[in-house]
Amino acid sequence: NTNNEPGELQLLTCHPSAGPLLIVLLRVLTYSSCTDKQSIQVTDEKTNIADRRLGISNPEPSFDVGSPAHALVKRILCWQETKSPSEQEHASDIIYGLAGEIRGSHVLETILRASCDSFYALVLECGAFFTASTLQEYAEDNVSNFVVQTLLCTARTKEQAETLLKSLDRVVSSGYIVDPAKKRRGILWRAVELAAKYRVGQDSLLKAIKLGFLAHGGKEDEATDQDAIEEGKKKKKRKKASAVSIEDCILQLIDLKPPEKEGGRAEIDVSGARTVFHLLRFVPRLCEDTIQGITRKMPQESLELIAKDGLGSRCIMDGILDGPIKEPAFSAAARTLLDKLQGRWLALSVDRVGHHTVKKLFRALPDMDDRAALVEELSRGINRLSGTSMGRSVMEDCAVKEYLEGIVVWKNAVSKILRRDEWLNEITGEIQDEEGNPSVKKKRKRKRRGTKASSEDGGVDETGDSQNKKAASSAVSSIMEVMSVPAGMEQ
């Protein structure tokens, strides 16, 4: 295969044993030759579990141009260096063939994940992934639809994301990928995730989703223009997105099925629930209908089942309570959840999964009176709360015992809890911007006395070092105080 001609190597990519071996080889070469070691991030177990429920995998490094991994990929694709993507003799056919083969598709997905940004753009252009007809054909195939999902979650730039979403618009609005019987909702989930990540195409995607559910339901708008009728002309029937609301689409996406027997688990559409989570990460003005579909359309029993389900709690409840809670739509949703689940908060507080929703709602409620209403209900079952570790955790975070001592004592305790959480968020950098996305707070630079004089004399600025030492010492003392550990024991 020295002349960039397809041969035995391309056959091996589709072999049940050689294909996985090539994937491992490509990953090893990528990791060994990666110069940006910071891209290989190690996350803790709790973060992995939370991200896994959302379908978020650990970030992987990409190979460098000219590296052994890059050379291996070019050999697999029979890439010709002297020709542009549109002039490649074999690469486009190889990409098309790999996408439709069970084992070859995994090799192609690994190439998309491991490619550097420049080569990734060339692969997309060579494979004609920016055309609507290609995405339609791939989405309808039982194998290559997974390649489309990988493509959507590996887009590198805002321009690529916008182009992919525009090309996918026809596929979504046709209703093919929203039909649960077709098992293509993973494409919708990845498309919504991409739109939320890059803040592009959100309005058009919401319209396409409504048209898709309208087409799936078989409903068409039969109204014709009166002027056209008077002129004796028949106007072609067309679907209107206004004929269906996002609120109704949310219920169909979640597709909640109650347990068949008491104590059983509810069933939730996995891709649909993840789609709803990312819909809640759109710009706040587009989230109102999604929130209404959850808080107002669902009865109390359904909301409780979702709060007790690991996937439902992470995608739906956390999607609301971890969002930009200062926005009117999200703050109103927190109040609505408080009212609709009234009488069930005690049961949720002693549930293995449900107690997380109770604690997050307590922090998300915008008013102290709303928090008091929640704690008042919890205080009536303090003995039940004390009997489980989950209940005791809720008692501590919501200051239930302090509430029994008096409203003033309770408010002071809650204020301390909220200030502590805010302080910890500042220390760890877990701060949200106006749209509810995690951001890192930048430290404002300050001029210190003595810096100018030291620089002019050519000496060393010891003032800054002493101030840094004092700041570090005070930070350590503050941390030890919060942890209730004597400062003298830190060594």
XYZ file of all heavy atoms in Angstrom, residues 318-401:
641
model
N -31.871 18.641 37.364
C -30.636 19.425 37.404
C -30.567 20.412 36.249
O -29.950 21.473 36.378
C -29.421 18.497 37.352
C -29.236 17.723 38.643
O -30.081 17.882 39.554
O -28.268 16.955 38.749
N -31.178 20.054 35.130
C -31.196 20.975 33.999
C -31.868 22.296 34.342
O -31.477 23.356 33.852
N -32.880 22.224 35.211
C -33.569 23.447 35.650
C -32.845 24.101 36.810
O -32.530 25.297 36.786
C -35.029 23.139 36.039
C -35.822 22.646 34.824
C -35.709 24.358 36.642
C -37.229 22.189 35.159
N -32.535 23.322 37.826
C -32.017 23.876 39.082
C -30.553 24.297 38.991
O -30.099 25.110 39.799
C -32.204 22.858 40.208
C -33.652 22.421 40.460
C -33.725 21.363 41.543
C -34.523 23.620 40.827
N -29.808 23.754 38.037
C -28.421 24.164 37.838
C -28.292 25.233 36.762
O -27.175 25.644 36.432
C -27.548 22.965 37.451
C -27.302 22.046 38.634
O -27.526 22.491 39.777
O -26.900 20.885 38.413
N -29.413 25.673 36.207
C -29.391 26.666 35.152
C -29.253 28.079 35.691
O -29.000 28.291 36.885
N -29.408 29.068 34.823
C -29.328 30.482 35.259
C -30.543 30.850 36.096
O -31.522 31.403 35.598
C -29.285 31.255 33.938
C -29.954 30.370 32.951
C -29.650 28.966 33.369
N -30.502 30.527 37.374
C -31.684 30.599 38.232
C -32.143 32.036 38.441
O -33.280 32.272 38.888
C -31.375 29.903 39.577
C -32.667 29.396 40.227
C -30.577 30.815 40.484
C -33.392 28.362 39.445
N -31.304 33.014 38.118
C -31.726 34.409 38.249
C -32.639 34.844 37.111
O -33.288 35.887 37.205
C -30.495 35.314 38.307
C -29.661 35.120 39.569
C -28.487 36.085 39.609
C -27.658 35.894 40.872
N -26.505 36.829 40.929
N -32.669 34.067 36.040
C -33.579 34.364 34.939
C -35.018 34.081 35.373
O -35.272 33.107 36.088
C -33.230 33.529 33.710
C -31.888 33.867 33.076
C -31.911 35.233 32.420
O -33.002 35.671 31.995
O -30.842 35.857 32.324
N -35.981 34.920 34.958
C -37.376 34.753 35.402
C -37.946 33.368 35.117
O -38.657 32.807 35.956
C -38.122 35.842 34.622
C -37.090 36.881 34.325
C -35.807 36.139 34.123
N -37.636 32.813 33.948
C -38.208 31.509 33.594
C -37.723 30.416 34.544
O -38.500 29.546 34.959
C -37.838 31.157 32.148
N -36.460 30.455 34.918
C -35.902 29.413 35.787
C -36.327 29.611 37.242
O -36.601 28.640 37.953
C -34.378 29.399 35.668
C -33.869 28.774 34.396
C -33.762 29.518 33.231
C -33.522 27.439 34.356
C -33.305 28.949 32.062
C -33.065 26.851 33.187
C -32.957 27.613 32.028
N -36.364 30.850 37.705
C -36.809 31.096 39.080
C -38.282 30.734 39.245
O -38.683 30.171 40.276
C -36.572 32.559 39.457
O -37.266 33.432 38.583
N -39.091 31.038 38.230
C -40.504 30.649 38.287
C -40.658 29.131 38.259
O -41.556 28.576 38.907
C -41.266 31.273 37.115
N -39.774 28.443 37.533
C -39.827 26.984 37.485
C -39.526 26.382 38.854
O -40.142 25.386 39.254
C -38.843 26.463 36.449
N -38.586 26.981 39.584
C -38.263 26.484 40.925
C -39.469 26.619 41.855
O -39.775 25.701 42.638
C -37.067 27.248 41.488
N -40.162 27.743 41.761
C -41.364 27.929 42.591
C -42.459 26.938 42.200
O -43.165 26.405 43.060
C -41.886 29.361 42.433
C -41.018 30.431 43.086
C -41.784 31.732 43.201
N -40.971 32.810 43.738
C -40.327 33.702 42.994
N -40.391 33.627 41.675
N -39.612 34.655 43.560
N -42.612 26.703 40.898
C -43.633 25.769 40.438
C -43.348 24.350 40.932
O -44.256 23.621 41.351
C -43.722 25.786 38.903
O -43.955 27.126 38.448
C -44.840 24.891 38.412
N -42.083 23.953 40.893
C -41.713 22.630 41.424
C -42.013 22.538 42.913
O -42.474 21.502 43.404
C -40.233 22.363 41.164
C -39.822 22.065 39.721
C -38.310 21.945 39.616
C -40.490 20.792 39.210
N -41.749 23.626 43.649
C -42.045 23.643 45.081
C -43.525 23.408 45.338
O -43.904 22.639 46.233
C -41.601 24.973 45.683
C -41.947 25.208 47.157
C -41.208 24.212 48.038
C -41.619 26.639 47.568
N -44.374 24.044 44.550
C -45.823 23.914 44.748
C -46.347 22.551 44.278
O -47.171 21.936 44.956
C -46.548 25.036 44.008
C -46.212 26.414 44.583
O -45.842 26.474 45.764
O -46.308 27.419 43.838
N -45.864 22.090 43.113
C -46.416 20.864 42.550
C -46.009 19.625 43.341
O -46.748 18.627 43.374
C -45.986 20.714 41.087
C -46.580 21.764 40.161
C -46.612 21.300 38.727
C -47.668 20.238 38.505
N -47.892 19.928 37.085
N -44.851 19.671 43.957
C -44.396 18.518 44.738
C -44.653 18.695 46.226
O -44.052 17.992 47.055
C -42.902 18.277 44.482
C -42.568 17.688 43.105
C -41.066 17.700 42.853
C -43.113 16.269 42.975
N -45.524 19.617 46.546
C -45.863 19.825 47.959
C -46.463 18.551 48.546
O -47.334 17.913 47.956
C -46.859 20.980 48.088
C -47.176 21.359 49.522
C -48.121 22.544 49.584
O -48.627 23.002 48.573
N -48.371 23.043 50.789
N -45.990 18.181 49.705
C -46.425 16.955 50.347
C -45.562 15.752 50.007
O -45.722 14.679 50.611
N -44.648 15.888 49.051
C -43.784 14.783 48.643
C -42.308 15.056 48.914
O -41.456 14.204 48.636
C -43.957 14.491 47.141
C -45.377 14.169 46.729
C -45.927 13.001 47.504
N -45.083 11.815 47.376
C -45.130 10.774 48.188
N -45.976 10.777 49.226
N -44.341 9.735 47.997
N -42.013 16.229 49.466
C -40.610 16.581 49.687
C -39.967 15.721 50.760
O -38.767 15.425 50.685
C -40.494 18.066 50.040
C -40.805 18.967 48.891
C -41.852 19.841 48.777
C -40.070 19.055 47.666
N -41.812 20.481 47.564
C -40.732 20.012 46.856
C -38.933 18.436 47.164
C -40.282 20.361 45.601
C -38.484 18.774 45.902
C -39.147 19.732 45.129
N -40.722 15.305 51.739
C -40.164 14.451 52.780
C -39.771 13.095 52.198
O -38.703 12.558 52.519
C -41.168 14.287 53.917
C -40.690 13.479 55.138
C -39.469 14.131 55.764
C -41.818 13.345 56.157
N -40.623 12.533 51.362
C -40.315 11.248 50.739
C -39.101 11.362 49.826
O -38.261 10.453 49.764
C -41.529 10.744 49.962
N -38.982 12.479 49.118
C -37.826 12.681 48.253
C -36.544 12.862 49.071
O -35.456 12.476 48.628
C -38.043 13.906 47.354
C -39.050 13.743 46.218
C -39.288 15.074 45.522
C -38.560 12.709 45.210
N -36.660 13.442 50.256
C -35.485 13.716 51.073
C -34.810 12.453 51.589
O -33.618 12.474 51.899
C -35.854 14.607 52.261
O -36.341 15.863 51.816
N -35.548 11.378 51.702
C -34.963 10.126 52.193
C -34.725 9.138 51.052
O -34.401 7.976 51.294
C -35.880 9.480 53.258
C -35.962 10.368 54.488
C -37.281 9.218 52.707
N -34.868 9.609 49.814
C -34.613 8.760 48.654
C -33.154 8.894 48.232
O -32.564 9.975 48.321
C -35.533 9.151 47.493
C -35.379 8.231 46.301
O -35.903 7.104 46.338
O -34.707 8.645 45.325
N -32.596 7.818 47.734
C -31.176 7.803 47.373
C -30.841 8.835 46.303
O -29.788 9.477 46.348
C -30.788 6.403 46.861
C -29.327 6.255 46.477
C -29.050 4.851 45.987
N -29.822 4.538 44.800
C -29.435 4.828 43.551
N -28.296 5.447 43.348
N -30.189 4.504 42.526
N -31.730 9.020 45.343
C -31.511 9.995 44.274
C -32.285 11.285 44.530
O -31.777 12.390 44.301
C -31.918 9.396 42.908
C -31.737 10.411 41.789
C -31.109 8.145 42.607
N -33.486 11.161 45.043
C -34.362 12.321 45.183
C -33.848 13.391 46.118
O -34.180 14.573 45.967
N -33.019 13.016 47.121
C -32.570 14.027 48.082
C -31.672 15.083 47.424
O -31.561 16.195 47.917
C -31.856 13.362 49.258
C -30.464 12.905 48.970
N -30.179 11.769 48.261
C -29.261 13.455 49.302
C -28.865 11.625 48.172
N -28.284 12.633 48.793
N -31.038 14.742 46.296
C -30.236 15.736 45.582
C -31.121 16.861 45.040
O -30.744 18.036 45.070
C -29.477 15.074 44.438
C -28.419 14.114 44.888
N -27.255 14.508 45.506
C -28.358 12.758 44.818
C -26.519 13.456 45.788
N -27.167 12.376 45.384
N -32.305 16.506 44.540
C -33.229 17.520 44.034
C -33.697 18.440 45.156
O -33.835 19.655 44.961
C -34.435 16.844 43.362
O -33.985 16.053 42.254
C -35.442 17.875 42.868
N -33.937 17.898 46.335
C -34.383 18.715 47.468
C -33.323 19.755 47.822
O -33.626 20.941 48.003
C -34.695 17.826 48.689
C -35.144 18.680 49.866
C -35.773 16.794 48.347
N -32.074 19.319 47.909
C -31.006 20.245 48.286
C -30.769 21.307 47.215
O -30.531 22.476 47.536
C -29.722 19.458 48.561
C -29.824 18.539 49.778
C -28.477 18.026 50.218
C -27.900 17.050 49.238
N -26.649 16.432 49.764
N -30.866 20.902 45.953
C -30.644 21.879 44.885
C -31.806 22.863 44.783
O -31.602 24.044 44.489
C -30.434 21.155 43.559
C -29.104 20.429 43.485
C -28.778 19.980 42.085
C -27.379 19.380 42.034
N -26.964 19.034 40.662
N -33.016 22.390 45.018
C -34.158 23.296 44.989
C -34.051 24.323 46.110
O -34.366 25.502 45.918
C -35.461 22.510 45.122
C -36.726 23.370 45.157
C -37.025 23.920 43.769
C -37.921 22.596 45.681
N -33.603 23.897 47.281
C -33.461 24.816 48.409
C -32.541 25.973 48.044
O -32.821 27.132 48.376
C -32.911 24.056 49.621
C -32.731 24.907 50.842
C -33.815 25.237 51.646
C -31.482 25.394 51.186
C -33.651 26.033 52.770
C -31.298 26.182 52.310
C -32.395 26.506 53.099
N -31.450 25.699 47.351
C -30.532 26.760 46.958
C -31.056 27.568 45.776
O -30.735 28.749 45.636
C -29.175 26.163 46.600
C -28.386 25.710 47.820
C -27.153 24.912 47.408
N -26.264 24.652 48.539
C -26.477 23.762 49.470
N -27.583 23.021 49.421
N -25.633 23.585 50.462
N -31.858 26.935 44.931
C -32.328 27.620 43.729
C -33.512 28.543 43.993
O -33.755 29.466 43.205
C -32.713 26.588 42.664
N -34.264 28.307 45.065
C -35.424 29.156 45.357
C -34.964 30.590 45.593
O -34.045 30.849 46.379
C -36.168 28.633 46.583
C -36.949 27.334 46.373
C -37.457 26.781 47.691
C -38.115 27.556 45.407
N -35.564 31.557 44.904
C -35.064 32.931 44.965
C -35.450 33.682 46.231
O -34.849 34.703 46.553
C -35.709 33.589 43.734
C -36.981 32.819 43.523
C -36.695 31.417 43.958
N -36.450 33.193 46.944
C -36.967 33.945 48.097
C -36.820 33.124 49.368
O -37.000 31.902 49.374
C -38.448 34.292 47.863
C -38.982 35.243 48.915
O -38.659 36.442 48.856
O -39.696 34.776 49.809
N -36.516 33.802 50.486
C -36.348 33.120 51.763
C -37.662 32.543 52.261
O -37.679 31.504 52.940
C -35.772 34.090 52.796
C -35.258 33.422 54.057
S -33.817 32.362 53.761
C -32.497 33.595 53.711
N -38.776 33.168 51.924
C -40.085 32.633 52.331
C -40.365 31.297 51.659
O -40.962 30.397 52.265
C -41.187 33.633 52.002
C -41.086 34.901 52.837
O -40.493 34.832 53.939
O -41.587 35.958 52.388
N -39.946 31.157 50.393
C -40.120 29.882 49.697
C -39.277 28.795 50.352
O -39.725 27.646 50.497
C -39.749 30.034 48.228
C -40.691 30.968 47.479
O -41.874 31.020 47.858
O -40.241 31.645 46.539
N -38.068 29.152 50.739
C -37.222 28.188 51.434
C -37.851 27.784 52.768
O -37.787 26.613 53.173
C -35.827 28.769 51.669
C -35.033 29.044 50.403
C -33.583 29.331 50.732
N -32.806 29.622 49.536
C -32.440 30.835 49.138
N -32.781 31.890 49.879
N -31.746 31.018 48.048
N -38.432 28.753 53.457
C -39.077 28.457 54.737
C -40.249 27.501 54.553
O -40.475 26.613 55.391
C -39.539 29.755 55.397
N -40.991 27.657 53.462
C -42.115 26.751 53.198
C -41.624 25.326 52.987
O -42.250 24.354 53.449
C -42.903 27.238 51.984
N -40.504 25.183 52.294
C -39.941 23.855 52.071
C -39.457 23.241 53.382
O -39.752 22.071 53.689
C -38.785 23.950 51.073
C -37.978 22.676 50.826
C -38.866 21.567 50.277
C -36.813 22.953 49.879
N -38.731 24.027 54.180
C -38.181 23.513 55.436
C -39.293 23.223 56.433
O -39.200 22.277 57.231
C -37.166 24.513 56.020
C -36.650 24.053 57.370
C -36.001 24.696 55.054
N -40.365 23.978 56.382
C -41.490 23.735 57.298
C -42.088 22.356 57.047
O -42.431 21.638 57.985
C -42.539 24.823 57.101
C -43.560 24.938 58.231
C -44.692 23.941 58.078
O -45.009 23.581 56.918
O -45.264 23.518 59.102
N -42.182 21.980 55.766
C -42.695 20.644 55.452
C -41.708 19.571 55.900
O -42.116 18.517 56.415
C -42.944 20.532 53.949
C -43.453 19.169 53.520
C -43.747 19.084 52.027
O -44.019 20.144 51.418
O -43.698 17.968 51.484
N -40.423 19.832 55.731
C -39.419 18.849 56.142
C -39.372 18.691 57.663
O -39.144 17.588 58.172
C -38.038 19.266 55.623
C -37.857 19.327 54.103
C -36.465 19.829 53.759
C -38.109 17.971 53.464
N -39.593 19.785 58.379
C -39.495 19.731 59.844
C -40.569 18.851 60.477
O -40.392 18.363 61.589
C -39.581 21.148 60.413
O -40.854 21.728 60.157
N -41.669 18.647 59.758
C -42.734 17.800 60.304
C -42.354 16.319 60.309
O -43.018 15.507 60.947
C -44.029 18.004 59.499
C -44.614 19.402 59.641
C -46.060 19.421 59.195
N -46.210 19.137 57.781
C -46.293 20.055 56.828
N -46.210 21.351 57.153
N -46.432 19.710 55.560
N -41.291 15.971 59.586
C -40.842 14.577 59.578
C -39.387 14.463 59.963
O -38.638 13.700 59.346
N -38.981 15.223 60.986
C -37.570 15.264 61.359
C -37.090 13.904 61.854
O -35.920 13.538 61.658
C -37.338 16.370 62.417
C -35.833 16.600 62.593
C -38.033 16.035 63.734
C -35.509 17.842 63.374
N -37.952 13.127 62.497
C -37.546 11.792 62.959
C -37.245 10.877 61.779
O -36.288 10.087 61.811
C -38.637 11.178 63.828
C -38.794 11.906 65.151
O -37.849 12.506 65.654
N -39.997 11.858 65.713
N -38.047 10.992 60.745
C -37.811 10.186 59.545
C -36.524 10.620 58.844
O -35.768 9.780 58.340
C -38.999 10.310 58.601
C -38.931 9.403 57.384
C -40.178 9.548 56.540
N -40.096 8.734 55.335
C -41.014 8.754 54.360
N -42.092 9.532 54.475
N -40.867 7.989 53.286
N -36.270 11.921 58.815
C -35.039 12.414 58.208
C -33.811 11.938 58.976
O -32.773 11.616 58.375
C -35.052 13.946 58.155
C -36.064 14.615 57.216
C -36.027 16.124 57.379
C -35.793 14.232 55.764
N -33.919 11.901 60.278
C -32.774 11.515 61.108
C -32.417 10.048 60.949
O -31.312 9.640 61.321
C -33.076 11.808 62.585
O -33.408 13.170 62.777
N -33.309 9.259 60.384
C -33.082 7.819 60.296
C -32.252 7.383 59.111
O -31.881 6.206 59.026
N -31.967 8.272 58.177
C -31.178 7.888 57.000
C -30.081 8.920 56.772
O -30.196 10.085 57.171
C -32.052 7.807 55.740
O -32.605 9.103 55.454
C -33.183 6.813 55.914
N -29.016 8.493 56.099
C -27.914 9.403 55.793
C -28.353 10.481 54.813
O -27.899 11.633 54.897
C -26.735 8.623 55.222
O -27.116 7.943 54.034
N -29.249 10.129 53.872
C -29.752 11.131 52.930
C -30.554 12.196 53.646
O -30.401 13.403 53.399
C -30.616 10.464 51.849
C -29.847 9.566 50.898
S -29.498 7.926 51.561
C -31.146 7.216 51.586
N -31.413 11.746 54.577
C -32.219 12.704 55.326
C -31.380 13.620 56.189
O -31.644 14.824 56.289
N -30.332 13.062 56.814
C -29.458 13.899 57.637
C -28.704 14.913 56.791
O -28.449 16.039 57.230
C -28.483 13.015 58.420
C -29.150 12.198 59.518
C -28.116 11.531 60.417
N -27.354 10.511 59.699
C -27.694 9.237 59.621
N -28.823 8.815 60.200
N -26.941 8.364 58.979
N -28.349 14.513 55.572
C -27.691 15.448 54.666
C -28.612 16.606 54.302
O -28.191 17.767 54.253
C -27.236 14.709 53.399
O -26.694 15.604 52.462
N -29.890 16.302 54.075
C -30.862 17.359 53.779
C -31.064 18.259 54.996
O -31.152 19.490 54.874
C -32.204 16.732 53.335
C -33.296 17.795 53.226
C -32.048 16.014 51.997
N -31.125 17.660 56.182
C -31.285 18.454 57.403
C -30.139 19.446 57.582
O -30.351 20.602 57.960
C -31.348 17.520 58.619
C -32.635 16.732 58.737
S -32.579 15.536 60.093
C -32.270 16.618 61.487
N -28.939 19.016 57.267
C -27.775 19.881 57.424
C -27.773 21.006 56.397
O -27.523 22.165 56.733
C -26.495 19.054 57.307
C -25.224 19.879 57.470
C -23.986 19.029 57.330
O -24.112 17.791 57.209
O -22.872 19.617 57.321
N -28.043 20.669 55.124
C -27.987 21.674 54.067
C -29.146 22.653 54.130
O -29.018 23.791 53.650
C -27.974 20.992 52.696
C -26.625 20.386 52.375
O -25.810 20.257 53.309
O -26.374 20.039 51.201
N -30.265 22.227 54.672
C -31.442 23.105 54.750
C -31.653 23.682 56.155
O -32.628 24.407 56.372
C -32.698 22.350 54.315
S -32.633 21.703 52.637
N -30.771 23.347 57.107
C -30.853 23.864 58.482
C -32.221 23.581 59.104
O -32.880 24.475 59.644
C -30.547 25.358 58.502
N -32.642 22.336 59.037
C -33.966 21.961 59.546
C -34.021 22.084 61.071
O -35.007 22.572 61.637
C -34.326 20.532 59.097
C -35.687 20.122 59.659
C -34.347 20.435 57.570
N -32.973 21.653 61.756
C -32.969 21.741 63.213
C -33.019 23.198 63.684
O -33.699 23.530 64.657
C -31.722 21.057 63.778
C -31.759 19.535 63.679
C -30.547 18.923 64.360
C -30.620 17.397 64.329
N -29.426 16.778 64.976
